[in-house]
Amino acid sequence: MAGNLVQGAVFTVMVVRAGMLRDPEFQDELSRQIDRSPRFFQNAPVVLDLKGAEAFATAEEFAQAKELLRQYTLALVGVQNALPAQVEAAAGAGLASFAPNATNPSRRQAPAPEAQPAAAAPEPERQPSRPQTRLVTEPVRSGTQIYARGTDLVVTAAVSAGAELVADGNIHVYGTLRGRALAGARGDAGARIFCSRLEAELVSIAGRYLVSEQLPAEQRGFAVEIALVDEQLTITRN
Amino acid sequence: MAKVVAITSGKGGVGKTTTSAAVAAGLALRGHKTVVIDFDVGLRNLDLVMGCERRVVFDFINVINGDANLNQALIKDKRNDNLFIFPTSQTRDKDALKRDGVDRVLEELKQQFDYIICDSPAGIEHGAITALYFADAAIIVTNPEVSSVRDSDRIIGILASRSRRAERNEPPVELNLLLTRYDPGRVAKGEMLTVDDVLEILSIPLLGVIPESESVLRASNTGTPVTFDEDSPAGRAYLDAVARFLGEQREMRFVQPERRGFLKVLSAQLFLSGAPDQRIDCQGAAEDRAVA
């Protein structure tokens, strides 16, 4: 996935169980709900949950479902829990396929995986699959270099002068940062550096850097967040 | 179970050899059979500081190479029966410290001694690494100034990553900070880092604070471990540190500027009446001698 071209975002999407569509009372119930809060339902996206609804098998049936929901100002955008044949049929009706195991909020199921449709990435992504955040709980001593490849680095102790933290993602230091911290080492300009106390020798994001004497005196010794804003390293007190 | 203790610092000239001699003598005074080994091959000094330079026949390297046995090389201290000195070679260099040879010698020493004190050379090269590699505990000798603190930090990192305990995933080397050449007067003037400054950066337990003292130089030059000098503030501070190393609780002394004349008497009274922030050196107080 080209990170620059495709951006992810999280959406809340209503899920309608396919079986309900054919329930005679469904349309009455639906219109009552929509009457109560018409704004909320205006053009709202809906995903059709096909669990236990093998009857839906042709593109035509999906097109009908789409049309039915359209009458109630709802936009059917995709299906979930679909069999391979159903995915294909739905695609024929212009519907996307959402992760088969995605939770169905309408059934108040397990809280475990929050609605994470495969098509919509959970947050602005750097990597298609991100390794686990690197966690360091011991003080990082002078002369030590830690590299969090392809991920974030979290240090819950002090980082000594002469130590170096490098991460492809963000760097968090819950302690005094006296050494160097280089976030977004592979060019991610969205990476940030956070520390409980800024005494750093050098901070860098995506190649832009500030050395110790360039750090504003009013930020030194404080908890700060460092980000790249308009190509400029910007330090804000937290 | 014998304990191997590395005396190390990274930086040179901070007092590693003085500390090795003082701690070894202190442990011996407390009745523990102790040997102190000089790892500074080619820059042999421990024998001078221990006052046995005229009795060296065989050395550490001879034993590593199998040219002499342990008992031929060990020198028994004339002042304390529990104390032995293991001098090193002045004619060789650090490459002579073969790791498996050192391991074998240390294992042999463990059969005879309670404490094996390893006086490390400065730096982070082969000699220093070998001196700390086998350590169970380390005493990090640091002066209250930034370059010494940074070098100590580096050494602590090496102990945590490159010691045998680290390589074998055993419990980590027990770390102790010893702050030496501490001059409370200069600290008060802001010319030296405070104990708290150093502790904040290094964040390891403080074993003791040794005041800058003329008696240290005198002890070195006369070949007497400073712990044998009961009248010396440094000697008493080292004995306190040894006591803490053995698990005892002792008040930190010598960290406040020394008072003069009647002021000293006055503050001593304050101390006796229990003012908590008066951690001063009460000269002549009986407790000072409790150790010996």
Side-chain angles (χ1 to χ4, degrees), chain A residues 18 130 136:
Chain A
R130 187 188 306 178
V136 177

Side-chain angles (χ1 to χ4, degrees), chain B residues 215-235:
Chain B
S215 58
V216 173
L217 184 63
R218 190 172 62 235
S220 273
N221 285 335
T222 58
T224 315
V226 71
T227 22
F228 284 148
D229 180 0
E230 284 183 19
D231 297 328
S232 151

Side-chain angles (χ1 to χ4, degrees), chain B residues 113-124:
Chain B
F113 290 95
D114 302 325
Y115 289 97
I116 301 162
I117 309 296
C118 304
D119 179 21
S120 169
I124 52 168

Side-chain angles (χ1 to χ4, degrees), chain B residues 17-262:
Chain B
T17 300
T18 300
T19 298
S20 298
V23 168
L27 287 166
L29 283 171
R30 299 292 302 265
H32 299 286
K33 206 174 173 204
T34 305
V35 60
V36 53
I37 312 177
D38 192 347
F39 272 76
D40 204 348
V41 186
L43 295 167
R44 187 174 86 193
N45 284 146
L46 182 70
D47 54 332
L48 288 171
V49 174
M50 294 297 292
C52 66
E53 72 278 8
R54 296 197 292 185
R55 299 163 63 203
V56 177
V57 182
F58 295 106
D59 59 46
F60 191 23
I61 305 303
N62 293 140
V63 178
I64 289 174
N65 292 339
D67 299 332
N69 69 41
L70 206 52
N71 292 325
Q72 289 174 298
L74 286 177
I75 300 175
K76 188 175 183 181
D77 188 87
K78 287 183 174 170
R79 295 151 297 202
N80 190 301
D81 289 345
N82 291 319
L83 183 57
F84 287 77
I85 301 103
F86 199 172
T88 195
S89 165
Q90 180 71 349
T91 54
R92 307 292 296 274
D93 61 28
K94 307 289 191 283
D95 294 340
L97 288 168
K98 301 274 185 297
R99 193 168 276 185
D100 52 348
V102 173
D103 189 18
R104 184 173 45 78
V105 174
L106 288 177
E107 285 306 316
E108 211 176 320
L109 287 168
K110 282 181 186 176
Q111 308 303 315
Q112 303 186 25
F113 290 95
D114 302 325
Y115 289 97
I116 301 162
I117 309 296
C118 304
D119 179 21
S120 169
I124 52 168
E125 282 72 43
H126 178 68
I129 303 294
T130 309
L132 63 78
Y133 182 75
F134 298 99
D136 301 308
I139 296 177
I140 319 291
V141 183
T142 306
N143 291 166
E145 48 107 6
V146 286
S147 57
S148 173
V149 171
R150 183 181 293 187
D151 290 359
S152 293
D153 193 53
R154 180 83 164 102
I155 277 288
I156 295 167
I158 290 170
L159 279 160
S161 61
R162 291 172 63 187
S163 61
R164 183 163 71 176
R165 282 174 172 267
E167 284 181 4
R168 291 182 174 178
N169 263 330
E170 291 170 359
V173 178
E174 173 200 311
L175 300 173
N176 302 282
L177 176 66
L178 190 70
L179 207 51
T180 57
R181 312 198 67 169
Y182 195 80
D183 184 336
R186 296 188 64 189
V187 171
K189 283 188 231 161
E191 295 170 3
M192 273 186 177
L193 298 178
T194 68
V195 177
D196 289 341
D197 289 339
V198 179
L199 283 176
E200 201 208 321
I201 295 170
L202 296 180
S203 53
I204 60 171
L206 179 65
L207 191 64
V209 178
I210 312 299
E212 176 81 326
S213 162
E214 288 167 16
S215 58
V216 173
L217 184 63
R218 190 172 62 235
S220 273
N221 285 335
T222 58
T224 315
V226 71
T227 22
F228 284 148
D229 180 0
E230 284 183 19
D231 297 328
S232 151
R236 282 180 284 140
Y238 270 117
L239 288 171
D240 280 352
V242 168
R244 290 187 201 102
F245 186 76
L246 295 172
E248 292 175 24
Q249 300 282 332
R250 291 278 171 104
E251 296 249 354
M252 278 295 165
R253 298 188 282 177
F254 314 110
V255 293
Q256 299 295 332
E258 208 166 303
R259 312 297 164 91
R260 298 267 168 226
F262 80 94

Side-chain angles (χ1 to χ4, degrees), chain B residues 7-18:
Chain B
I7 313 290
T8 186
S9 70
K11 193 173 182 298
V14 296
K16 283 182 295 299
T17 300
T18 300

